[in-house]
Amino acid sequence: MATEGEVQLQVGKKDDYCCVPRCNGNGRIHLELSFHHFPSEKKREFRKKWIHAIRRDEGPFFKIGKNTVVCSRHFTAEDYRWTLVRKCLKPDVVPSVFEWNTGKPDKLPRKPPTERKILAERTNNAVDIEISLTHSDDEQNFSKQDPEIASNEISVLAHGDENNNGGKLEILEQHIQEKEDIIKAKDKEIEELRERLRIEKFGVNRFSFDDDMIDFYTGFYSYELFLAFFEFIKPSVFYMKSVYYNVKNDHGIRGRPKSLEPIDELFMFLCRVRCGFLSEDLAVRFNIHKSSVSRKLITWANFLYLLLGSINIWPNRDKIQIHMPEDFKLLYPNTRIIIDCTEIYTERPSSLALGSKTFSSYKSHNTWKGLVGIAPHGAVTFISSLYSGCISDVAITEHSGLIELLEPGDQIMADKGFVLDRVLTGSGVSIATPHFLCADGQFTQSQIEDNQKIASLRIHVERHIKKVKEYRLFNSVIPLSIAGSVNQLWTVVNILTLFKRPLIKKKN
């Protein structure tokens, strides 16, 4: 126990900090220090001496509390009194060791940072020192020899140095050549890996040697046909503008780099319409963001709609007659077009009014409805826009603009649902449809034969619709998110069937 008047020592703790100015005594770091509390309020005069000694006055920025301490740096060895268990400050001892009265800082100055040198400089310095020492030794030895002997040895050493330098130079050149060979081998390996990555990456190049997979993903029956189609549209691809970007003046301004090559963007678009891949799936396959996939699909839908839509697929009557199959020439020689309607499932709109308009009583589902027409030889010649599913076959034929394209003397072949007598009145155009059942409930023999003939020839338009439905986007439920581009997609897919094998093969 410390006697009355002695200031008890406190072992350094992690939260003890010396309050003396310019002292960094810290119980967390300096474990060798001890820390001492100020005298209590009962010894007011003695307490004032401590405050005066450390040159700090109590105020708003310094208040003496139970945790305010002074470290042992500011006391001399004579200020302590040792007991059996601890050391204590003697009575009436005041801190007296400070930086301002001893000239020594309370904290040791930091060592200056070691100057770092590059390894090559240190090596050169070491070599220079070794060479200088060697030369000094040689000079001393030469100075002790006769002048003639020394001159002979100097010439021998000079030639020896040249030989050594030449040998070292050869070794260095050989080493450099080996490194260059290694670099060339690594460059070649990198190029091979890049080529393998380009081939293995999901894209058209990966399937360039497999026509079956090209047909599966794009609908083109060979890689050569796909390349021919791309070469056909390639001149216009570089003028294609992406959606959601407004470019005021694009002359001489280069846009942002594309994440995919144009041929891979086309391949991705065809994968969407042919295989029905979702945007999330395509984003993973082509390693791009989902929003980029959506933007590129809409861009390509609009681009191909404008480009392919500018092709005149409506042939004149002379071309129809040239390519007309013999079956049509014998039975229905005036046939200009074979038409039929098809319906495509879509999601149900949240609006009740739109939901009722797109609801088809025939399919019992919300649908889009379109009219297509083919020439007698099987090529598609007419594609209407898509209408709501509640519209009738007659109404869609009347509003699609087909009647305006026909000439007097032409004949339309259609299913019995196309009752176009009123629409075709006064146009000089006739229609060939199967007969309706008579009132007596039976067909005549001639009606049966006519129905069979029309069915055997009209089946080709249904085969064309089947080709369109092979693009799985139109064989599933169309999401409302692409409703703004569904007409473009519908037109593009119908025209792409022209690049397939013909529906009707010519008879030899």
Side-chain angles (χ1 to χ4, degrees):
M1 297 288 294
T3 59
E4 183 67 24
E6 293 179 345
V7 180
Q8 184 175 341
L9 175 146
Q10 178 183 353
V11 180
K13 297 181 181 179
K14 64 180 181 179
D15 55 350
D16 291 329
Y17 301 93
C18 182
C19 67
V20 176
R22 304 183 66 180
C23 179
N24 64 347
N26 187 343
R28 186 192 302 273
I29 301 173
H30 308 103
L31 302 179
E32 73 279 2
L33 297 180
S34 59
F35 295 84
H36 310 278
H37 291 283
F38 278 74
S40 62
E41 290 286 348
K42 296 179 181 179
K43 301 180 179 181
R44 187 176 298 275
E45 296 298 327
F46 188 37
R47 182 185 180 96
K48 289 182 178 180
K49 291 181 180 180
W50 276 52
I51 297 172
H52 178 74
I54 67 172
R55 296 184 177 181
R56 293 191 70 176
D57 294 330
E58 288 190 275
F61 300 105
F62 177 66
K63 293 185 180 295
I64 299 175
K66 61 180 181 178
N67 293 324
T68 309
V69 293
V70 178
C71 70
S72 56
R73 288 176 178 172
H74 309 290
F75 299 93
T76 62
E78 291 77 11
D79 293 338
Y80 290 97
R81 176 180 177 274
W82 287 91
T83 64
L84 296 177
V85 294
R86 64 173 67 92
K87 70 175 182 178
C88 297
L89 287 175
K90 294 179 181 180
D92 302 330
V93 169
V94 179
S96 58
V97 182
F98 302 102
E99 181 181 353
W100 53 81
N101 59 14
T102 61
K104 297 181 180 180
D106 293 340
K107 54 184 179 181
L108 296 176
R110 293 182 60 183
K111 295 181 180 180
T114 305
E115 184 179 359
R116 299 185 179 182
K117 295 184 178 180
I118 303 175
L119 181 60
E121 294 180 359
R122 288 185 288 178
T123 305
N124 294 334
N125 293 337
V127 172
D128 293 340
I129 293 171
E130 183 177 357
I131 291 173
S132 63
L133 292 175
T134 305
H135 285 194
S136 63
D137 293 341
D138 292 341
E139 290 175 357
Q140 292 177 2
N141 293 333
F142 291 154
S143 64
K144 296 178 182 179
Q145 296 178 357
D146 294 336
E148 294 181 0
I149 298 174
S151 62
N152 293 334
E153 289 186 359
I154 288 173
S155 62
V156 171
L157 287 173
H159 290 293
D161 289 339
E162 290 178 0
N163 295 333
N164 291 336
N165 291 335
K168 291 180 180 178
L169 183 60
E170 292 178 0
I171 295 174
L172 183 59
E173 290 178 351
Q174 184 179 1
H175 183 68
I176 292 174
Q177 186 63 37
E178 292 177 356
K179 295 298 183 183
E180 289 179 352
D181 294 340
I182 293 174
I183 291 173
K184 290 180 181 179
K186 294 296 183 183
D187 290 339
K188 184 178 180 181
E189 184 180 355
I190 290 172
E191 290 298 326
E192 292 176 354
L193 291 175
R194 285 178 177 173
E195 182 66 19
R196 185 185 303 176
L197 179 62
R198 186 182 68 85
I199 295 175
E200 293 180 356
K201 184 179 68 174
F202 189 82
V204 68
N205 290 324
R206 181 176 178 179
F207 308 104
S208 57
F209 301 101
D210 193 342
D211 290 341
D212 292 336
M213 296 307 296
I214 290 292
D215 186 19
F216 174 79
Y217 284 113
T218 67
F220 292 94
Y221 60 82
S222 68
Y223 179 68
E224 288 75 15
L225 181 61
F226 175 82
L227 286 182
F229 177 77
F230 180 73
E231 291 297 327
F232 167 70
I233 66 173
K234 187 176 180 179
S236 302
V237 167
F238 299 102
Y239 298 97
M240 177 175 58
K241 294 183 180 179
S242 178
V243 295
Y244 308 129
Y245 289 102
N246 295 324
V247 182
K248 295 182 181 179
N249 183 16
D250 54 357
H251 296 289
I253 299 177
R254 186 176 181 180
R256 65 175 67 181
K258 292 188 176 182
S259 55
L260 290 177
E261 294 295 329
I263 191 170
D264 285 326
E265 291 185 1
L266 174 62
F267 181 71
M268 181 178 66
F269 171 80
L270 293 174
C271 286
R272 175 69 175 109
V273 296
R274 172 69 172 175
C275 301
F277 293 151
L278 298 178
S279 298
E280 293 82 358
D281 188 6
L282 293 173
V284 174
R285 290 174 185 266
F286 290 91
N287 194 26
I288 57 177
H289 197 268
K290 176 185 173 183
S291 61
S292 298
V293 173
S294 177
R295 184 168 60 250
K296 292 180 185 300
L297 293 178
I298 296 174
T299 301
W300 275 90
N302 295 335
F303 170 72
L304 292 177
Y305 174 75
L306 293 174
L307 186 65
L308 300 180
S310 62
I311 301 174
N312 183 16
I313 60 174
W314 181 259
N316 55 40
R317 186 183 297 176
D318 295 334
K319 291 183 178 180
I320 293 291
Q321 292 295 327
I322 293 173
H323 299 284
M324 182 175 289
E326 294 296 329
D327 295 339
F328 278 92
K329 288 182 179 180
L330 294 175
L331 301 175
Y332 298 95
N334 294 326
T335 302
R336 184 76 179 270
I337 189 171
I338 309 169
I339 63 173
D340 198 4
C341 286
T342 184
E343 297 187 60
I344 303 165
Y345 291 130
T346 185
E347 294 178 338
R348 182 174 64 86
S350 58
S351 171
L352 295 178
L354 294 177
S356 63
K357 287 183 179 180
T358 57
F359 185 80
S360 170
S361 58
Y362 178 69
K363 296 289 186 179
S364 298
H365 200 280
N366 296 90
T367 62
W368 305 106
K369 194 170 186 178
L371 174 70
V372 293
I374 65 171
H377 61 274
V380 59
T381 58
F382 183 81
I383 307 163
S384 76
S385 300
L386 291 176
Y387 296 83
S388 57
C390 66
I391 193 171
S392 64
D393 296 345
V394 176
I396 195 173
T397 306
E398 184 177 3
H399 293 92
S400 63
L402 173 63
I403 308 301
E404 288 75 8
L405 295 174
L406 296 172
E407 302 174 15
D410 291 338
Q411 187 177 49
I412 302 174
M413 183 174 289
D415 195 11
K416 63 175 62 179
F418 289 85
V419 184
L420 301 177
D421 297 335
R422 179 186 60 82
V423 178
L424 298 176
T425 301
S427 63
V429 179
S430 61
I431 184 169
T433 59
H435 297 280
F436 286 94
L437 192 63
C438 300
D440 57 0
Q442 289 185 347
F443 289 111
T444 63
Q445 184 64 31
S446 60
Q447 290 177 342
I448 294 175
E449 292 177 358
D450 290 341
N451 290 348
Q452 291 176 349
K453 292 176 184 178
I454 293 175
S456 64
L457 298 176
R458 197 191 62 83
I459 192 65
H460 299 304
V461 70
E462 295 183 0
R463 292 177 60 203
H464 168 77
I465 293 174
K466 181 183 177 182
K467 278 192 173 185
V468 174
K469 295 294 182 70
E470 287 176 356
Y471 289 85
R472 292 175 179 81
L473 178 65
F474 292 103
N475 200 23
S476 57
V477 179
I478 299 292
L480 292 176
S481 59
I482 63 172
S485 303
V486 68
N487 268 307
Q488 292 90 319
L489 293 169
W490 164 253
T491 304
V492 169
V493 168
N494 273 277
I495 296 178
L496 287 178
T497 58
L498 293 172
F499 295 90
K500 288 179 170 291
R501 292 182 174 88
L503 286 175
I504 304 173
K505 294 181 180 180
K506 292 184 178 181
K507 296 180 180 180
N508 296 329

